[in-house]
Amino acid sequence: MSTLRKDVLNRMLKCNKNISNLPASNDLSPLEWDSFFSKYEELEINSGKFCAYFSEPPCEEIENLNFLLIHGAGLTSLSWACFVKELTKSLKCRSVAVDLRGHGFSCVHDDLDIESLSGDIIQLFDILFNPDQKVVVIGHSLGGSVGVRVADRFPERVVGLIVLDAVEGLIKEFNSELIRVNSDLGTIFEWRTDLKKTKKYWIKWFDGMSNGFLRVRAKKMLILTTAENLDNSLMIGHMQGKFQLVLLHNCGHLIHEDVPDQVVEAVSKFVKWHKFI
């Protein structure tokens, strides 16, 4: 059994144990989105309507820098909630998080191929941002793969690309183990996105991601939990200085949920180092 498989299964068992031990009186009701974001909109493009959450500082304080946040498979834009709350304290910039098709409250549920997922965000990009606005794209897991394609499509407008815990070879293995977690917790929760039904898309979701990441012209940062997760292409690219590597410990695959303050610190340093603001 691989180290990754052991880690995922251990997290699953720990999660189940914690859930079963919760007292019946515990309030498990979800927090409202407006505790973290300032605005919610439904945006319509050719393929349908998509849900977007905005975080905007006061107009007199806002910088000419925007963040586009793209969540991972099986998640929603609200996975960025705690991160956005911390980011707003650190940088006076506008943030937008969009539910991918088949996720959250977006109204498009068919065809989760990477080209369709990316095509939606590419169309939404022109609605969300003016041509003179600078954008930093941050993508987690599957969102990282989508983010690579968005950054490649808008080389003059995307000044920074940050990918969280998405390495081509590793993430394919991780998804195969995630099905076990998804299946087990499916007896407790009702899933908005059933990952078991997305298996046929997994290979293409991440094919060519590492080389695509290295080709992007924007300044780049990769945030991982361990350097052992780097594949050969990224290892060589890092030695050549093609991107910044940040390692965060004591967290799992959902880095931005587990340690949002540490991710924000890394993002803030990245933005200031490259003088985006």
mmCIF file with all atom_site columns, all heavy atoms in Angstrom, residues 62-82:
data_model
loop_
_atom_site.group_PDB
_atom_site.id
_atom_site.type_symbol
_atom_site.label_atom_id
_atom_site.label_alt_id
_atom_site.label_comp_id
_atom_site.label_asym_id
_atom_site.label_entity_id
_atom_site.label_seq_id
_atom_site.pdbx_PDB_ins_code
_atom_site.Cartn_x
_atom_site.Cartn_y
_atom_site.Cartn_z
_atom_site.occupancy
_atom_site.B_iso_or_equiv
_atom_site.pdbx_formal_charge
_atom_site.auth_seq_id
_atom_site.auth_comp_id
_atom_site.auth_asym_id
_atom_site.auth_atom_id
_atom_site.pdbx_PDB_model_num
ATOM 1   N N   . ILE A 1 62 ? -9.266  49.964 -2.829  1.00 0.00 ? 62 ILE A N   1
ATOM 2   C CA  . ILE A 1 62 ? -9.002  48.822 -3.692  1.00 0.00 ? 62 ILE A CA  1
ATOM 3   C C   . ILE A 1 62 ? -7.799  49.043 -4.617  1.00 0.00 ? 62 ILE A C   1
ATOM 4   O O   . ILE A 1 62 ? -7.602  50.120 -5.174  1.00 0.00 ? 62 ILE A O   1
ATOM 5   C CB  . ILE A 1 62 ? -10.260 48.480 -4.526  1.00 0.00 ? 62 ILE A CB  1
ATOM 6   C CG1 . ILE A 1 62 ? -10.149 47.080 -5.119  1.00 0.00 ? 62 ILE A CG1 1
ATOM 7   C CG2 . ILE A 1 62 ? -10.515 49.511 -5.610  1.00 0.00 ? 62 ILE A CG2 1
ATOM 8   C CD1 . ILE A 1 62 ? -11.469 46.545 -5.654  1.00 0.00 ? 62 ILE A CD1 1
ATOM 9   N N   . GLU A 1 63 ? -6.978  47.995 -4.740  1.00 0.00 ? 63 GLU A N   1
ATOM 10  C CA  . GLU A 1 63 ? -5.815  48.005 -5.628  1.00 0.00 ? 63 GLU A CA  1
ATOM 11  C C   . GLU A 1 63 ? -6.229  47.481 -7.005  1.00 0.00 ? 63 GLU A C   1
ATOM 12  O O   . GLU A 1 63 ? -7.214  46.765 -7.146  1.00 0.00 ? 63 GLU A O   1
ATOM 13  C CB  . GLU A 1 63 ? -4.708  47.122 -5.051  1.00 0.00 ? 63 GLU A CB  1
ATOM 14  C CG  . GLU A 1 63 ? -4.208  47.534 -3.674  1.00 0.00 ? 63 GLU A CG  1
ATOM 15  C CD  . GLU A 1 63 ? -3.171  48.638 -3.732  1.00 0.00 ? 63 GLU A CD  1
ATOM 16  O OE1 . GLU A 1 63 ? -2.840  49.079 -4.837  1.00 0.00 ? 63 GLU A OE1 1
ATOM 17  O OE2 . GLU A 1 63 ? -2.698  49.044 -2.658  1.00 0.00 ? 63 GLU A OE2 1
ATOM 18  N N   . ASN A 1 64 ? -5.426  47.808 -8.021  1.00 0.00 ? 64 ASN A N   1
ATOM 19  C CA  . ASN A 1 64 ? -5.709  47.300 -9.360  1.00 0.00 ? 64 ASN A CA  1
ATOM 20  C C   . ASN A 1 64 ? -5.118  45.901 -9.523  1.00 0.00 ? 64 ASN A C   1
ATOM 21  O O   . ASN A 1 64 ? -4.236  45.648 -10.343 1.00 0.00 ? 64 ASN A O   1
ATOM 22  C CB  . ASN A 1 64 ? -5.141  48.232 -10.436 1.00 0.00 ? 64 ASN A CB  1
ATOM 23  C CG  . ASN A 1 64 ? -5.502  47.756 -11.837 1.00 0.00 ? 64 ASN A CG  1
ATOM 24  O OD1 . ASN A 1 64 ? -6.531  47.115 -12.036 1.00 0.00 ? 64 ASN A OD1 1
ATOM 25  N ND2 . ASN A 1 64 ? -4.639  48.049 -12.812 1.00 0.00 ? 64 ASN A ND2 1
ATOM 26  N N   . LEU A 1 65 ? -5.593  45.007 -8.682  1.00 0.00 ? 65 LEU A N   1
ATOM 27  C CA  . LEU A 1 65 ? -5.194  43.605 -8.772  1.00 0.00 ? 65 LEU A CA  1
ATOM 28  C C   . LEU A 1 65 ? -6.382  42.755 -8.360  1.00 0.00 ? 65 LEU A C   1
ATOM 29  O O   . LEU A 1 65 ? -7.060  43.044 -7.375  1.00 0.00 ? 65 LEU A O   1
ATOM 30  C CB  . LEU A 1 65 ? -3.994  43.311 -7.870  1.00 0.00 ? 65 LEU A CB  1
ATOM 31  C CG  . LEU A 1 65 ? -3.457  41.875 -7.952  1.00 0.00 ? 65 LEU A CG  1
ATOM 32  C CD1 . LEU A 1 65 ? -2.853  41.611 -9.331  1.00 0.00 ? 65 LEU A CD1 1
ATOM 33  C CD2 . LEU A 1 65 ? -2.427  41.612 -6.863  1.00 0.00 ? 65 LEU A CD2 1
ATOM 34  N N   . ASN A 1 66 ? -6.628  41.720 -9.124  1.00 0.00 ? 66 ASN A N   1
ATOM 35  C CA  . ASN A 1 66 ? -7.774  40.854 -8.886  1.00 0.00 ? 66 ASN A CA  1
ATOM 36  C C   . ASN A 1 66 ? -7.314  39.400 -8.760  1.00 0.00 ? 66 ASN A C   1
ATOM 37  O O   . ASN A 1 66 ? -6.357  38.981 -9.417  1.00 0.00 ? 66 ASN A O   1
ATOM 38  C CB  . ASN A 1 66 ? -8.760  40.949 -10.052 1.00 0.00 ? 66 ASN A CB  1
ATOM 39  C CG  . ASN A 1 66 ? -9.254  42.360 -10.270 1.00 0.00 ? 66 ASN A CG  1
ATOM 40  O OD1 . ASN A 1 66 ? -10.293 42.746 -9.751  1.00 0.00 ? 66 ASN A OD1 1
ATOM 41  N ND2 . ASN A 1 66 ? -8.529  43.155 -11.036 1.00 0.00 ? 66 ASN A ND2 1
ATOM 42  N N   . PHE A 1 67 ? -8.044  38.656 -7.932  1.00 0.00 ? 67 PHE A N   1
ATOM 43  C CA  . PHE A 1 67 ? -7.770  37.232 -7.790  1.00 0.00 ? 67 PHE A CA  1
ATOM 44  C C   . PHE A 1 67 ? -8.936  36.426 -8.344  1.00 0.00 ? 67 PHE A C   1
ATOM 45  O O   . PHE A 1 67 ? -10.090 36.685 -7.993  1.00 0.00 ? 67 PHE A O   1
ATOM 46  C CB  . PHE A 1 67 ? -7.560  36.866 -6.316  1.00 0.00 ? 67 PHE A CB  1
ATOM 47  C CG  . PHE A 1 67 ? -6.287  37.396 -5.725  1.00 0.00 ? 67 PHE A CG  1
ATOM 48  C CD1 . PHE A 1 67 ? -6.286  38.589 -5.030  1.00 0.00 ? 67 PHE A CD1 1
ATOM 49  C CD2 . PHE A 1 67 ? -5.092  36.702 -5.877  1.00 0.00 ? 67 PHE A CD2 1
ATOM 50  C CE1 . PHE A 1 67 ? -5.110  39.094 -4.483  1.00 0.00 ? 67 PHE A CE1 1
ATOM 51  C CE2 . PHE A 1 67 ? -3.912  37.202 -5.332  1.00 0.00 ? 67 PHE A CE2 1
ATOM 52  C CZ  . PHE A 1 67 ? -3.921  38.396 -4.634  1.00 0.00 ? 67 PHE A CZ  1
ATOM 53  N N   . LEU A 1 68 ? -8.630  35.474 -9.205  1.00 0.00 ? 68 LEU A N   1
ATOM 54  C CA  . LEU A 1 68 ? -9.620  34.523 -9.688  1.00 0.00 ? 68 LEU A CA  1
ATOM 55  C C   . LEU A 1 68 ? -9.340  33.189 -9.002  1.00 0.00 ? 68 LEU A C   1
ATOM 56  O O   . LEU A 1 68 ? -8.267  32.613 -9.174  1.00 0.00 ? 68 LEU A O   1
ATOM 57  C CB  . LEU A 1 68 ? -9.537  34.362 -11.206 1.00 0.00 ? 68 LEU A CB  1
ATOM 58  C CG  . LEU A 1 68 ? -10.419 33.275 -11.821 1.00 0.00 ? 68 LEU A CG  1
ATOM 59  C CD1 . LEU A 1 68 ? -11.897 33.532 -11.533 1.00 0.00 ? 68 LEU A CD1 1
ATOM 60  C CD2 . LEU A 1 68 ? -10.176 33.173 -13.332 1.00 0.00 ? 68 LEU A CD2 1
ATOM 61  N N   . LEU A 1 69 ? -10.301 32.709 -8.206  1.00 0.00 ? 69 LEU A N   1
ATOM 62  C CA  . LEU A 1 69 ? -10.122 31.508 -7.399  1.00 0.00 ? 69 LEU A CA  1
ATOM 63  C C   . LEU A 1 69 ? -10.913 30.355 -8.008  1.00 0.00 ? 69 LEU A C   1
ATOM 64  O O   . LEU A 1 69 ? -12.130 30.470 -8.219  1.00 0.00 ? 69 LEU A O   1
ATOM 65  C CB  . LEU A 1 69 ? -10.598 31.771 -5.967  1.00 0.00 ? 69 LEU A CB  1
ATOM 66  C CG  . LEU A 1 69 ? -10.053 33.059 -5.314  1.00 0.00 ? 69 LEU A CG  1
ATOM 67  C CD1 . LEU A 1 69 ? -10.678 33.251 -3.933  1.00 0.00 ? 69 LEU A CD1 1
ATOM 68  C CD2 . LEU A 1 69 ? -8.542  33.020 -5.224  1.00 0.00 ? 69 LEU A CD2 1
ATOM 69  N N   . ILE A 1 70 ? -10.223 29.248 -8.284  1.00 0.00 ? 70 ILE A N   1
ATOM 70  C CA  . ILE A 1 70 ? -10.852 28.099 -8.947  1.00 0.00 ? 70 ILE A CA  1
ATOM 71  C C   . ILE A 1 70 ? -10.708 26.882 -8.044  1.00 0.00 ? 70 ILE A C   1
ATOM 72  O O   . ILE A 1 70 ? -9.586  26.438 -7.756  1.00 0.00 ? 70 ILE A O   1
ATOM 73  C CB  . ILE A 1 70 ? -10.222 27.837 -10.325 1.00 0.00 ? 70 ILE A CB  1
ATOM 74  C CG1 . ILE A 1 70 ? -10.154 29.133 -11.147 1.00 0.00 ? 70 ILE A CG1 1
ATOM 75  C CG2 . ILE A 1 70 ? -11.021 26.784 -11.076 1.00 0.00 ? 70 ILE A CG2 1
ATOM 76  C CD1 . ILE A 1 70 ? -9.414  28.989 -12.465 1.00 0.00 ? 70 ILE A CD1 1
ATOM 77  N N   . HIS A 1 71 ? -11.832 26.335 -7.611  1.00 0.00 ? 71 HIS A N   1
ATOM 78  C CA  . HIS A 1 71 ? -11.829 25.231 -6.648  1.00 0.00 ? 71 HIS A CA  1
ATOM 79  C C   . HIS A 1 71 ? -11.512 23.884 -7.308  1.00 0.00 ? 71 HIS A C   1
ATOM 80  O O   . HIS A 1 71 ? -11.467 23.759 -8.531  1.00 0.00 ? 71 HIS A O   1
ATOM 81  C CB  . HIS A 1 71 ? -13.177 25.167 -5.933  1.00 0.00 ? 71 HIS A CB  1
ATOM 82  C CG  . HIS A 1 71 ? -14.324 24.840 -6.852  1.00 0.00 ? 71 HIS A CG  1
ATOM 83  N ND1 . HIS A 1 71 ? -14.596 23.566 -7.286  1.00 0.00 ? 71 HIS A ND1 1
ATOM 84  C CD2 . HIS A 1 71 ? -15.270 25.636 -7.426  1.00 0.00 ? 71 HIS A CD2 1
ATOM 85  C CE1 . HIS A 1 71 ? -15.652 23.576 -8.074  1.00 0.00 ? 71 HIS A CE1 1
ATOM 86  N NE2 . HIS A 1 71 ? -16.088 24.825 -8.185  1.00 0.00 ? 71 HIS A NE2 1
ATOM 87  N N   . GLY A 1 72 ? -11.341 22.868 -6.466  1.00 0.00 ? 72 GLY A N   1
ATOM 88  C CA  . GLY A 1 72 ? -11.028 21.525 -6.943  1.00 0.00 ? 72 GLY A CA  1
ATOM 89  C C   . GLY A 1 72 ? -12.250 20.665 -7.161  1.00 0.00 ? 72 GLY A C   1
ATOM 90  O O   . GLY A 1 72 ? -13.396 21.079 -6.911  1.00 0.00 ? 72 GLY A O   1
ATOM 91  N N   . ALA A 1 73 ? -12.021 19.427 -7.608  1.00 0.00 ? 73 ALA A N   1
ATOM 92  C CA  . ALA A 1 73 ? -13.113 18.491 -7.896  1.00 0.00 ? 73 ALA A CA  1
ATOM 93  C C   . ALA A 1 73 ? -13.881 18.133 -6.637  1.00 0.00 ? 73 ALA A C   1
ATOM 94  O O   . ALA A 1 73 ? -13.298 17.875 -5.583  1.00 0.00 ? 73 ALA A O   1
ATOM 95  C CB  . ALA A 1 73 ? -12.550 17.220 -8.539  1.00 0.00 ? 73 ALA A CB  1
ATOM 96  N N   . GLY A 1 74 ? -15.202 18.134 -6.758  1.00 0.00 ? 74 GLY A N   1
ATOM 97  C CA  . GLY A 1 74 ? -16.057 17.771 -5.645  1.00 0.00 ? 74 GLY A CA  1
ATOM 98  C C   . GLY A 1 74 ? -16.271 18.877 -4.637  1.00 0.00 ? 74 GLY A C   1
ATOM 99  O O   . GLY A 1 74 ? -17.002 18.699 -3.664  1.00 0.00 ? 74 GLY A O   1
ATOM 100 N N   . LEU A 1 75 ? -15.659 20.033 -4.860  1.00 0.00 ? 75 LEU A N   1
ATOM 101 C CA  . LEU A 1 75 ? -15.780 21.161 -3.943  1.00 0.00 ? 75 LEU A CA  1
ATOM 102 C C   . LEU A 1 75 ? -16.650 22.249 -4.572  1.00 0.00 ? 75 LEU A C   1
ATOM 103 O O   . LEU A 1 75 ? -17.248 22.047 -5.622  1.00 0.00 ? 75 LEU A O   1
ATOM 104 C CB  . LEU A 1 75 ? -14.388 21.706 -3.600  1.00 0.00 ? 75 LEU A CB  1
ATOM 105 C CG  . LEU A 1 75 ? -13.412 20.702 -2.997  1.00 0.00 ? 75 LEU A CG  1
ATOM 106 C CD1 . LEU A 1 75 ? -12.027 21.320 -2.849  1.00 0.00 ? 75 LEU A CD1 1
ATOM 107 C CD2 . LEU A 1 75 ? -13.907 20.208 -1.648  1.00 0.00 ? 75 LEU A CD2 1
ATOM 108 N N   . THR A 1 76 ? -16.698 23.413 -3.926  1.00 0.00 ? 76 THR A N   1
ATOM 109 C CA  . THR A 1 76 ? -17.396 24.573 -4.484  1.00 0.00 ? 76 THR A CA  1
ATOM 110 C C   . THR A 1 76 ? -16.560 25.810 -4.197  1.00 0.00 ? 76 THR A C   1
ATOM 111 O O   . THR A 1 76 ? -15.533 25.744 -3.509  1.00 0.00 ? 76 THR A O   1
ATOM 112 C CB  . THR A 1 76 ? -18.796 24.770 -3.842  1.00 0.00 ? 76 THR A CB  1
ATOM 113 O OG1 . THR A 1 76 ? -18.649 25.330 -2.537  1.00 0.00 ? 76 THR A OG1 1
ATOM 114 C CG2 . THR A 1 76 ? -19.562 23.462 -3.764  1.00 0.00 ? 76 THR A CG2 1
ATOM 115 N N   . SER A 1 77 ? -17.033 26.942 -4.678  1.00 0.00 ? 77 SER A N   1
ATOM 116 C CA  . SER A 1 77 ? -16.336 28.204 -4.421  1.00 0.00 ? 77 SER A CA  1
ATOM 117 C C   . SER A 1 77 ? -16.213 28.502 -2.931  1.00 0.00 ? 77 SER A C   1
ATOM 118 O O   . SER A 1 77 ? -15.295 29.202 -2.499  1.00 0.00 ? 77 SER A O   1
ATOM 119 C CB  . SER A 1 77 ? -17.077 29.359 -5.101  1.00 0.00 ? 77 SER A CB  1
ATOM 120 O OG  . SER A 1 77 ? -17.000 29.232 -6.497  1.00 0.00 ? 77 SER A OG  1
ATOM 121 N N   . LEU A 1 78 ? -17.139 27.965 -2.153  1.00 0.00 ? 78 LEU A N   1
ATOM 122 C CA  . LEU A 1 78 ? -17.119 28.254 -0.720  1.00 0.00 ? 78 LEU A CA  1
ATOM 123 C C   . LEU A 1 78 ? -15.960 27.576 -0.002  1.00 0.00 ? 78 LEU A C   1
ATOM 124 O O   . LEU A 1 78 ? -15.710 27.855 1.167   1.00 0.00 ? 78 LEU A O   1
ATOM 125 C CB  . LEU A 1 78 ? -18.452 27.863 -0.091  1.00 0.00 ? 78 LEU A CB  1
ATOM 126 C CG  . LEU A 1 78 ? -19.651 28.673 -0.602  1.00 0.00 ? 78 LEU A CG  1
ATOM 127 C CD1 . LEU A 1 78 ? -20.933 28.249 0.100   1.00 0.00 ? 78 LEU A CD1 1
ATOM 128 C CD2 . LEU A 1 78 ? -19.422 30.176 -0.399  1.00 0.00 ? 78 LEU A CD2 1
ATOM 129 N N   . SER A 1 79 ? -15.238 26.690 -0.682  1.00 0.00 ? 79 SER A N   1
ATOM 130 C CA  . SER A 1 79 ? -14.032 26.129 -0.072  1.00 0.00 ? 79 SER A CA  1
ATOM 131 C C   . SER A 1 79 ? -12.962 27.215 0.105   1.00 0.00 ? 79 SER A C   1
ATOM 132 O O   . SER A 1 79 ? -12.015 27.054 0.866   1.00 0.00 ? 79 SER A O   1
ATOM 133 C CB  . SER A 1 79 ? -13.466 24.982 -0.917  1.00 0.00 ? 79 SER A CB  1
ATOM 134 O OG  . SER A 1 79 ? -12.890 25.452 -2.119  1.00 0.00 ? 79 SER A OG  1
ATOM 135 N N   . TRP A 1 80 ? -13.137 28.348 -0.592  1.00 0.00 ? 80 TRP A N   1
ATOM 136 C CA  . TRP A 1 80 ? -12.203 29.473 -0.479  1.00 0.00 ? 80 TRP A CA  1
ATOM 137 C C   . TRP A 1 80 ? -12.610 30.458 0.622   1.00 0.00 ? 80 TRP A C   1
ATOM 138 O O   . TRP A 1 80 ? -11.926 31.466 0.833   1.00 0.00 ? 80 TRP A O   1
ATOM 139 C CB  . TRP A 1 80 ? -12.139 30.235 -1.804  1.00 0.00 ? 80 TRP A CB  1
ATOM 140 C CG  . TRP A 1 80 ? -11.563 29.470 -2.940  1.00 0.00 ? 80 TRP A CG  1
ATOM 141 C CD1 . TRP A 1 80 ? -12.254 28.920 -3.988  1.00 0.00 ? 80 TRP A CD1 1
ATOM 142 C CD2 . TRP A 1 80 ? -10.191 29.172 -3.168  1.00 0.00 ? 80 TRP A CD2 1
ATOM 143 N NE1 . TRP A 1 80 ? -11.398 28.298 -4.849  1.00 0.00 ? 80 TRP A NE1 1
ATOM 144 C CE2 . TRP A 1 80 ? -10.114 28.439 -4.378  1.00 0.00 ? 80 TRP A CE2 1
ATOM 145 C CE3 . TRP A 1 80 ? -9.008  29.455 -2.474  1.00 0.00 ? 80 TRP A CE3 1
ATOM 146 C CZ2 . TRP A 1 80 ? -8.903  27.980 -4.899  1.00 0.00 ? 80 TRP A CZ2 1
ATOM 147 C CZ3 . TRP A 1 80 ? -7.804  28.990 -2.992  1.00 0.00 ? 80 TRP A CZ3 1
ATOM 148 C CH2 . TRP A 1 80 ? -7.756  28.272 -4.178  1.00 0.00 ? 80 TRP A CH2 1
ATOM 149 N N   . ALA A 1 81 ? -13.696 30.200 1.332   1.00 0.00 ? 81 ALA A N   1
ATOM 150 C CA  . ALA A 1 81 ? -14.267 31.189 2.247   1.00 0.00 ? 81 ALA A CA  1
ATOM 151 C C   . ALA A 1 81 ? -13.261 31.697 3.282   1.00 0.00 ? 81 ALA A C   1
ATOM 152 O O   . ALA A 1 81 ? -13.046 32.905 3.411   1.00 0.00 ? 81 ALA A O   1
ATOM 153 C CB  . ALA A 1 81 ? -15.498 30.611 2.938   1.00 0.00 ? 81 ALA A CB  1
ATOM 154 N N   . CYS A 1 82 ? -12.656 30.792 4.034   1.00 0.00 ? 82 CYS A N   1
ATOM 155 C CA  . CYS A 1 82 ? -11.722 31.223 5.090   1.00 0.00 ? 82 CYS A CA  1
ATOM 156 C C   . CYS A 1 82 ? -10.485 31.885 4.492   1.00 0.00 ? 82 CYS A C   1
ATOM 157 O O   . CYS A 1 82 ? -9.963  32.859 5.051   1.00 0.00 ? 82 CYS A O   1
ATOM 158 C CB  . CYS A 1 82 ? -11.325 30.025 5.951   1.00 0.00 ? 82 CYS A CB  1
ATOM 159 S SG  . CYS A 1 82 ? -12.696 29.352 6.922   1.00 0.00 ? 82 CYS A SG  1
#
